[in-house]
Amino acid sequence: MKRKIVSSLVIALVVAFMVPAAFSQDKFPSKPINVIVPFAAGGSSDLLARAVEKIWPKYSPQPLVVINKPGGGGVVGTEFVVRSKPDGYTLYVGYGSGHDVVMPHLQKMPYDTYKDLAAVSRLSVHSVAICTGAKSEFNSIKDMVAWAKKENKPITSSVSTKAGAVDITITALGKAAGINIVTVPFSGGADAVTTLAGGHVMIGGGHPSEVMPHIKAGRFKPLAVALPERDPSLPDVPTLIEQGFNVHTWGSIKGVAAPAATPKEVVEYLDGTLKKVCEDAEFKKLMTDLSQPIMYQNGADFAKFLQQAYGDYGKLIKDLNITIQ
Amino acid sequence: MSIFDGIISGFGIALTPMNLLFGFLGALIGTAVGVLPGLGPAATIALLLPITYSIPSPVPAVILMAGIYYGAMYGGSTTSVLLNLPGEAASVVTCIDGYKMAQQGRAGAALGIAAIGSFVAGTVAVVGLTLFAPPIAEFALGFGPPEKFALALLGLLMAVTLSGDSVVKGLIIMVLGLLFGTVGIDPISGKSRFDFGVTELQSGFDFVTLAVGVFGLGEIFYNLEQQGAAEIVTTKVGQVFPKMADWTKARMAILRGTLVGFFIGIIPGGGAVIASLVSYAVEKKVSKHPEEFGQGAIEGVAGPESANNAASSASFIPLLTLGIPSNASIAMIFACLLIKGVTPGPFLIVEHADVFWGVIASMYIGNVMLIILNLPLVGIWVQLLRVPYSILAPVVILFTMIGSYSIANQAFDLYTLIAFGVLGYALRKLKFEAGPLPLAFILGPMIEGAMRQSLLMSGGSFSIFFTRPISLTIVALFALFVVGQIFVSVRRSSR
């Protein structure tokens, strides 16, 4: 009898230890995945994350949970992901934003965004679209440059943030065209776009998702996009290169990253699921409504692309002598 | 479709059982969020956003979120009055006289007038939204950096009126507020200021954390020190509804608050917080008894509480007619509409008339629901004052902590909350009136940013502030105020 009790206890103990082990060996994911957006709710990265959040459960047994951790231009939330457990349950949406590709050229960062994070997939690229008011006499970048040269006056432009993608792009255009463009920085894309809508500046730059409502309303005329090729969400708008100005930037890149030490098979699972999301018809419709082009890349290609974008921005910042001192 | 047809069809949509239910839920959650200190509508709407994915039509989703937003303005006054703890950012200024009223046993009157003022202002603002939305929106767009600079400067002048007996102490607090406002990334140069290497400080201090800390926690720390005194505060309840005399005093304050709130609410970057602060300053300025302010003047509750409601409804105008989100909560509603495939802007009224008119009609209904919900609640809330302070204080501290954490989901805000609480306690001990602190904190960065943006636009010439009609008008008003003040003081001293 005693023996029976002891043996059953032993079995119970062994089972008790085995069960969690069995669970932990269970296929990823076995619990909801936290997705950190290092920007405020309602912004373009947040909208993207929420679009993915909505479609994700179609292709994964566990849902995504979007958490906004804004602050420090994106650094606070990103650092949180860098320092979190590398198990694939804490991801970062917005990888490739200004604080990844621009900021490290200008200031010291509390982490190395390329060494401390693993690229999972690229979802979208938010290009810089240069717009003017509907009543403006400019119908192209050439018109604007001709006016500035003839009148010998500076062009004023609202930009989302100082030394952000829009600021750098428009400053680079000014240099390439040989005219003086004064960029007026704001504390976010919405403020900058509103200022242009009020006609307080001559031109302004913003991502398609920010300027699209005003283009549709006939309040803005889009003059150019700054990508090397046309932006799928603004197919009728010519690039700066097409208009004879050798300027391109990658705007703000929106991808997904995980802490660097995340197991390879987990990253592959996440990438594969995100690929399915990107090919989903409902997701495509959603992204069209948000004016965000789907530009999927797998983890390896995305990591290479990021290096290229980071290098390109570094070169521009050096050429234009941009500092934040 | 005429406005009349539009609003009739809107009521047809808003009165369907489904939309009524969502409107009621919004009003209910909004009231709760308003009452809970620190937890604001923006954080709540962000939390609820995923739930709206499963609602098939955009109309109920937006009705729900809008209800939370303007509903929070109703509930916000509750803890301001009862505990000196702003339940919501736009109710900070309500603490000043509301809490004094509660200490005098007039908590019920303060809460009653706040609810009635909210209802009047909310309804008037929705009427304005119904009738004049497109032209008002065009006018609001005219506010560029020079106009915002002039307006913020005028606001700062009014901040002086928020100081108590000593103007010198008021100015010291104002400078402190301006200093706190400089922390974080300077938008014009991109350089981070006074962050001492702390990444979290790069986005500056959070307004709600500052206000809840200085007013609410400061008051609790102070009360804990006063053995027994706190008990006296917490047992007086008094009459529940405003007396006739209160009503006569508050009537005009409600109307003025509504106008101020509506006007400030439509300006991009304006919003309910500034509206309530400006309304308080206006009330004190026009009052025949400015010395009563800070001692429990009912106008000091009625005006700001009306203003924040008018402003929250008015901020739907730039959203629905221009597609411009003017504050964090509205930005979330904007996001919700986009995810539902609806682009807010001038075509909303044509392409999605159901959304435009349905949401507006729901706001009329929502305000009625809120007043029915809130007036009887006044009687219940004042009973909170009977809870022993030893139980109330820790519960309240816990709620402020949850609220503060919910803003950016970071523990750092808890430390700043406590630090601001200690500051509030120190100010209380040194007999400083903390009123100008939040106003200077908000207006300082606005003045600095807008001025530098204006000067960038003009190539460094200050003439930009005097050559634009709206900006010139506000600057002239500012000069008039200053000259008038000097005139009054000279006459007083020569007597």
Side-chain angles (χ1 to χ4, degrees), chain A residues 41 50 68-69 185 200 216, chain B residues 53 141 332 347 409 453 468:
Chain A
R50 290 179 191 279
N68 300 92
K69 270 187 179 291
H200 305 291
K216 276 190 191 159
Chain B
Y53 300 158
L141 272 185
M332 230 78 72
F347 294 129
N409 296 310
Q453 283 157 355
R468 298 160 59 110

Side-chain angles (χ1 to χ4, degrees), chain B residues 27 30-31 34-35 67-78 88 91 111 114-123 305 308-309 312 363-364 366-375 381:
Chain B
T31 301
V35 169
I68 295 172
Y69 180 48
Y70 58 76
M73 301 297 151
Y74 274 80
S77 56
T78 309
E88 209 275 322
S91 291
L111 290 179
I116 294 166
S118 297
F119 173 72
V120 173
T123 307
E305 281 301 317
N308 64 29
N309 263 75
S312 69
M363 290 167 79
Y364 285 99
N367 271 298
V368 174
M369 284 177 176
L370 279 162
I371 189 89
I372 296 174
L373 197 67
N374 275 272
L375 268 185
W381 292 131

Side-chain angles (χ1 to χ4, degrees), chain B residues 37-384:
Chain B
L39 194 63
T44 312
I45 295 174
L47 278 175
L48 288 179
L49 204 52
I51 296 172
T52 63
Y53 300 158
S54 47
I55 305 172
S57 148
V59 182
V62 175
I63 286 178
L64 172 74
M65 294 186 167
I68 295 172
Y69 180 48
Y70 58 76
M73 301 297 151
Y74 274 80
S77 56
T78 309
T79 48
S80 302
V81 169
L82 299 177
L83 305 164
N84 199 37
L85 193 71
E88 209 275 322
S91 291
V92 170
V93 79
T94 310
C95 292
I96 301 174
D97 280 284
Y99 185 57
K100 274 277 155 43
M101 285 181 74
Q103 286 177 318
Q104 295 158 1
R106 292 159 68 211
L111 290 179
I113 211 78
I116 294 166
S118 297
F119 173 72
V120 173
T123 307
V124 170
V126 182
V127 172
L129 170 57
T130 314
L131 297 179
F132 312 114
I136 286 175
E138 286 300 326
F139 171 72
L141 272 185
F143 277 76
E147 289 74 21
K148 282 187 194 162
F149 165 75
L151 200 65
L153 203 62
L154 188 66
L156 197 63
L157 187 69
M158 296 200 162
V160 184
T161 62
L162 288 180
S163 54
D165 308 326
S166 161
V167 176
V168 175
K169 280 189 173 175
L171 286 174
I172 292 174
I173 291 298
M174 226 173 80
V175 170
L176 199 63
L178 290 175
L179 273 176
F180 283 135
T182 58
V183 175
I185 293 173
D186 162 30
I188 312 295
S189 70
K191 185 102 185 117
S192 184
R193 303 188 288 205
F194 304 118
D195 66 357
F196 301 102
V198 180
T199 316
E200 283 90 344
L201 277 182
Q202 287 187 358
S203 31
F205 292 114
D206 179 78
F207 177 75
V208 174
T209 307
L210 177 132
V212 168
V214 168
F215 284 84
L217 282 192
E219 180 67 22
I220 291 174
F221 294 163
Y222 182 81
N223 280 340
L224 290 178
E225 194 184 54
Q226 324 278 304
Q227 288 281 336
E231 301 300 324
I232 302 166
V233 177
T234 54
T235 45
K236 272 202 258 170
V237 168
Q239 101 275 10
V240 167
F241 289 104
K243 290 188 193 128
M244 204 54 212
D246 292 330
W247 178 239
T248 323
K249 271 185 175 174
R251 219 169 34 195
M252 290 314 286
I254 290 176
L255 284 183
R256 279 188 296 265
T258 305
L259 283 180
V260 167
F262 190 76
F263 176 70
I264 293 177
I266 56 171
I267 298 169
V273 182
I274 297 177
S276 62
L277 292 163
V278 171
S279 162
Y280 185 86
V282 167
E283 286 314 312
K284 193 170 175 186
K285 206 91 223 162
V286 302
S287 170
K288 291 197 185 82
H289 311 282
E291 71 281 356
E292 284 176 13
F293 280 75
Q295 306 301 325
I298 196 158
E299 300 97 310
V301 175
E305 281 301 317
S306 307
N308 64 29
N309 263 75
S312 69
S313 300
S315 55
F316 280 87
I317 293 178
L319 174 77
L320 294 178
T321 59
L322 300 172
I324 291 173
S326 52
N327 59 53
S329 302
I330 294 285
M332 230 78 72
I333 297 175
F334 184 68
C336 168
L337 280 170
L338 284 176
I339 288 179
K340 294 272 170 212
V342 178
T343 310
F347 294 129
L348 184 68
I349 191 167
V350 185
E351 286 173 358
H352 298 278
D354 58 328
V355 176
F356 187 87
W357 293 113
V359 170
I360 290 181
S362 85
M363 290 167 79
Y364 285 99
I365 301 165
N367 271 298
V368 174
M369 284 177 176
L370 279 162
I371 189 89
I372 296 174
L373 197 67
N374 275 272
L375 268 185
L377 275 179
V378 170
I380 298 166
W381 292 131
V382 290
Q383 300 303 322
L384 259 185

Side-chain angles (χ1 to χ4, degrees), chain A:
Chain A
M1 191 61 192
K2 212 176 174 186
R3 221 180 176 175
K4 217 171 180 182
I5 293 172
V6 170
S7 59
S8 59
L9 263 176
V10 168
I11 291 167
L13 268 174
V14 168
V15 169
F17 275 108
M18 269 173 64
V19 168
F23 265 121
S24 66
Q25 280 169 7
D26 214 15
K27 256 187 89 183
F28 178 90
S30 61
K31 60 179 184 183
I33 300 166
N34 289 332
V35 168
I36 309 295
V37 175
F39 303 102
S44 60
S45 300
D46 180 57
L47 283 169
L48 171 65
R50 290 179 191 279
V52 176
E53 181 190 34
K54 190 178 175 188
I55 307 301
W56 177 274
K58 281 191 189 174
Y59 302 102
S60 174
Q62 293 290 341
L64 297 181
V65 181
V66 174
I67 299 170
N68 300 92
K69 270 187 179 291
V75 175
V76 173
T78 307
E79 190 179 5
F80 177 82
V81 177
V82 166
R83 313 252 178 268
S84 62
K85 208 173 153 197
D87 54 6
Y89 290 105
T90 312
L91 305 177
Y92 156 36
V93 168
Y95 193 34
S97 301
H99 64 288
D100 297 313
V101 290
V102 177
M103 224 190 261
H105 293 294
L106 297 165
Q107 64 190 68
K108 220 177 134 247
M109 305 292 287
Y111 53 85
D112 183 332
T113 197
Y114 301 104
K115 285 200 183 114
D116 296 344
L117 290 168
V120 176
S121 3
R122 185 179 80 175
L123 301 176
S124 184
V125 174
H126 296 173
S127 68
V128 176
I130 302 171
C131 296
T132 187
K135 291 186 196 116
S136 162
E137 54 186 289
F138 310 149
N139 288 312
S140 67
I141 298 292
K142 278 204 177 103
D143 287 355
M144 179 189 88
V145 172
W147 182 89
K149 283 189 172 156
K150 196 173 125 233
E151 301 280 325
N152 196 22
K153 278 184 185 161
I155 297 280
T156 53
S157 171
S158 59
V159 298
S160 53
T161 51
K162 177 72 186 176
V166 181
D167 189 18
I168 291 173
T169 307
I170 289 185
T171 308
L173 170 64
K175 193 180 179 202
I179 58 167
N180 181 12
I181 304 184
V182 177
T183 55
V184 184
F186 287 81
S187 36
D191 284 354
V193 166
T194 306
T195 306
L196 178 63
H200 305 291
V201 283
M202 295 180 209
I203 60 165
H207 301 309
S209 58
E210 293 163 343
V211 295
M212 194 60 112
H214 299 281
I215 293 175
K216 276 190 191 159
R219 199 178 286 281
F220 284 3
K221 275 189 283 192
L223 298 178
V225 291
L227 286 181
E229 276 160 37
R230 289 197 179 196
D231 186 318
S233 60
L234 290 167
D236 302 329
V237 182
T239 62
L240 284 172
I241 295 169
E242 279 177 64
Q243 298 183 58
F245 301 96
N246 191 19
V247 175
H248 79 265
T249 65
W250 295 102
S252 189
I253 300 147
K254 301 294 167 189
V256 177
T262 308
K264 204 162 170 268
E265 60 278 10
V266 169
V267 172
E268 273 165 8
Y269 170 84
L270 293 167
D271 186 18
T273 313
L274 285 169
K275 185 164 190 268
K276 285 179 207 154
V277 169
C278 284
E279 285 160 359
D280 181 275
E282 195 187 348
F283 185 71
K284 285 180 180 163
K285 161 90 177 45
L286 206 51
M287 291 289 277
T288 309
D289 288 341
L290 297 176
S291 303
Q292 299 195 10
I294 299 173
M295 294 168 95
Y296 169 82
Q297 263 184 343
N298 68 32
D301 292 344
F302 178 35
K304 266 183 238 148
F305 171 76
L306 270 181
Q307 282 304 325
Q308 186 197 345
Y310 176 69
D312 286 356
Y313 268 117
K315 200 172 165 300
L316 269 180
I317 287 165
K318 222 176 143 198
D319 289 351
L320 299 169
N321 199 18
I322 291 175
T323 60
I324 55 165
Q325 295 307 315

